[in-house]
Amino acid sequence: ALPLFDALDELMISGRRTAKNHYNARGWVLHHNFDLWRGTAPINASNHGIWVSGAPWLCQHLWWHYEYSGDKKFLQRAYPVMKEAALFFVDFLIEDPRNDKHWLISTPGNSPEQGGLVAGPTMDHEIIRDLFSNVIEASAILKTDADLRAKLGEAVVRLGGASELPT
């Protein structure tokens, strides 16, 4: 897993530029593909190239490594990568205009369930909720970023993933 973790450190650097240039967002983003040059921008056809959930999907490996090892020193290394992936979605998610519940959705998103570009695909929301929950727990373990922890907790509820705020 260590080569993947090193790649994530490098992807965060190029992903910051992509987040700023493509979405005017903080943090970092990774679309559906990366290579030796650590490109993070959308590529190929829009029906799959504009998938913004690559960073949180790969950040799951950071969290799983911590869960398995319990290594707080590793978590200190992994936390900035996870945190910045979460910050992207804090800026990227929008309130769903189709309802009055103030739910948040990712859009545009790519839906393997429906095919093509959609607003609020289930897969994105599952991955984003997981990232937010992991960052909440990591920040509590590391005793840092209480304000971000609260903001992410509210976002988890607004993504339809919890009936109450996580602690």
Side-chain angles (χ1 to χ4, degrees), residues 17-146:
R17 288 189 301 270
T18 303
K20 181 68 177 163
N21 292 338
H22 286 255
Y23 304 101
N24 196 30
R26 296 172 295 164
W28 71 285
V29 64
L30 171 63
H31 291 83
H32 87 290
N33 186 56
F34 81 89
D35 56 24
L36 179 64
W37 296 275
R38 304 308 189 235
T40 58
I43 64 169
N44 299 340
S46 64
N47 68 334
H48 63 272
I50 303 176
W51 181 62
V52 294
S53 299
W57 181 58
L58 290 176
C59 282
Q60 290 176 326
H61 295 276
L62 296 168
W63 182 248
W64 294 334
H65 184 84
Y66 168 72
E67 279 187 316
Y68 181 77
S69 69
D71 183 350
K72 284 189 181 177
K73 187 174 180 177
F74 174 81
L75 187 59
Q76 289 172 333
R77 172 200 174 176
Y79 180 70
V81 179
M82 296 166 55
K83 174 185 171 180
E84 285 202 34
L87 285 174
F88 170 78
F89 286 100
V90 167
D91 292 350
F92 179 77
L93 295 171
I94 65 164
E95 199 167 282
D96 187 348
R98 299 171 295 183
N99 67 58
D100 60 353
K101 295 182 181 182
H102 306 288
W103 285 3
L104 295 174
I105 59 172
S106 63
T107 188
N110 183 275
S111 174
E113 304 90 15
Q114 302 296 320
L117 291 178
V118 298
T122 301
M123 184 178 70
D124 277 6
H125 292 186
E126 291 287 330
I127 293 169
I128 296 164
R129 278 193 299 267
D130 185 65
L131 173 68
F132 284 4
S133 297
N134 295 342
V135 171
I136 289 166
E137 192 169 344
S139 71
I141 292 165
L142 297 174
K143 297 177 177 40
T144 189
D145 295 324

